């Protein structure tokens, strides 16, 4: 019996993956918000969950530290996806990547003028591709969190960040001026593991597929 290791991040991805695991008959035996453990057992002796930073999930799966994982499309694009089999869009942890500016900043005018736009983001690949496709020249400031702060203190003109309800932007007097792409979380699988542990991984992939939430219109 070979061990199957699933990489998840705490928070919304863990929470929204639980129903998919349930469909595969897998129940995580400890609550990551209460336990300090990084390796969580499940009711299936040959399945365990490892807790890693959201941005590290693709790396763990790429190098075989985990056989499979759940990760946002945003994180997957920035990682590059090399070495990863991506069988399923799980349609969970949905949000969008958008451009936002201070509510007193004239974005349309700045773009029209063709001046360089200072953009702060954790999503430099997505931002670079997006502004290149619009023919807008940007100076990129790489941040690792709290992007919303950057335009407020003059570090940048704009941010590229995830938006879901829009409440965080509103609370910081920022407005969404462009929607770059819709995001959801995907299942990623280590390609070598898929060959070596084909039967148990297929069983999990198929169970996840059967439990993906229906699209809402
Ligand atoms: O939080 P931490 O620094 O540990 O890591 P992380 O932010 O990478 O992880 P986590 O767990 O916050 O996010 C994991 C994944 O969830 C992301 O990669 C997305 O694919 C997905 N997701 C879905 C979101 C959101 N919705 C979301 N709203 N991730 C982050 N946010 C943040 C956003 O960055 C912004 O600060 O929530 C804020 C906006 O939310 P609203 O509702 O106010 O618009
Ligand atoms: Mg976060």
């Amino acid at each position: 019996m070979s061990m199957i290791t699933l990489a998840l991040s705490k928070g919304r991805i863990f929470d929204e993956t639980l129903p998919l695991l349930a469909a595969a008959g897998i129940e995580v035996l400890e609550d990551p918000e209460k336990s300090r453990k990084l390796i969580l057992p499940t009711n299936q002796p040959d399945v365990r969950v490892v807790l890693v930073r959201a941005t590290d999930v693709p790396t763990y799966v790429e190098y075989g530290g985990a056989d499979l994982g759940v990760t946002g499309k945003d994180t997957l694009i920035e990682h590059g996806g090399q070495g990863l089999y991506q069988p399923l869009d799980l349609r969970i942890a949905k949000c969008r990547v958008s451009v936002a500016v201070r509510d007193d900043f004239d974005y349309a005018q700045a773009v029209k003028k063709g001046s360089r736009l200072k953009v702060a983001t954790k999503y430099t690949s997505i931002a670079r591709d997006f502004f290149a496709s619009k023919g807008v020249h940007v100076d990129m400031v790489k941040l690792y969190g709290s992007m919303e702060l950057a335009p407020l203190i003059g570090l940048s003109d704009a941010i590229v960040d995830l938006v879901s309800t829009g409440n965080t932007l509103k609370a910081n007097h920022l407005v969404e001026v462009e929607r770059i792409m819709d995001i959801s979380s995907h299942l990623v699988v280590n390609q070598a593991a898929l060959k070596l542990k084909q039967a148990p991984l297929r069983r999990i992939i198929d169970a996840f597929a059967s439990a993906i939430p229906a699209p809402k219109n």
Side-chain angles (χ1 to χ4, degrees):
M1 184 176 72
S2 55
M3 179 62 83
I4 299 295
T5 303
L6 168 67
L8 295 176
S9 53
K10 276 207 242 185
R12 70 191 100 220
I13 287 186
F14 183 90
D15 297 345
E16 295 187 35
T17 300
L18 286 184
L20 302 173
L21 284 169
I26 300 166
E27 196 189 315
V28 183
L29 296 178
E30 281 185 68
D31 178 350
E33 301 302 333
K34 294 190 181 118
S35 168
R36 287 178 173 274
K37 284 190 192 167
L38 298 175
I39 302 179
L40 305 180
T42 74
N43 64 331
Q44 312 252 343
D46 59 338
V47 180
R48 62 182 180 179
V49 169
V50 291
L51 295 176
V52 302
R53 277 299 287 265
T55 40
D56 291 335
V57 167
T59 308
Y60 271 85
V61 177
E62 176 188 0
Y63 293 107
D67 300 302
L68 67 179
V70 176
T71 183
K73 187 73 186 175
D74 49 317
T75 306
L76 203 44
I77 292 172
E78 293 296 322
H79 168 270
Q82 60 275 13
L84 299 176
Y85 171 53
Q86 302 172 27
L88 296 175
D89 177 353
L90 301 173
R91 296 206 213 108
I92 59 169
K94 285 183 166 186
C95 57
R96 55 194 185 270
V97 184
S98 292
V99 182
V101 298
R102 272 169 61 146
D103 56 14
D104 58 359
F105 180 80
D106 192 343
Y107 176 76
Q109 178 62 22
V111 166
K112 205 172 105 196
K113 265 199 337 217
S115 48
R116 295 186 77 85
L117 194 70
K118 208 164 189 192
V119 177
T121 187
K122 163 174 159 186
Y123 302 104
T124 49
S125 285
I126 293 172
R128 228 177 270 291
D129 286 356
F130 175 73
F131 287 110
S133 75
K134 283 174 64 83
V136 173
H137 295 285
V138 295
D139 290 321
M140 204 73 77
V141 179
K142 167 89 183 183
L143 293 177
Y144 291 88
S146 302
M147 269 81 82
E148 294 90 354
L149 182 61
L152 304 182
I153 51 119
L155 189 66
S156 73
D157 304 314
I159 60 170
V160 169
D161 194 9
L162 302 177
V163 180
S164 84
T165 61
N167 290 340
T168 306
L169 293 181
K170 201 175 286 171
N172 291 293
H173 307 286
L174 300 172
V175 288
E176 191 175 0
V177 287
E178 304 234 37
R179 187 189 269 243
I180 301 180
M181 64 175 75
D182 288 326
I183 296 291
S184 54
S185 281
H186 288 238
L187 185 65
V188 293
V189 185
N190 176 279
Q191 284 175 342
L194 190 62
K195 294 196 187 90
L196 294 168
K197 306 176 185 177
Q198 196 165 11
L201 287 176
R202 272 287 157 212
R203 198 182 55 79
I204 294 172
I205 295 168
D206 291 347
F208 272 34
S210 74
I212 293 173
K216 278 182 247 139
N217 289 312

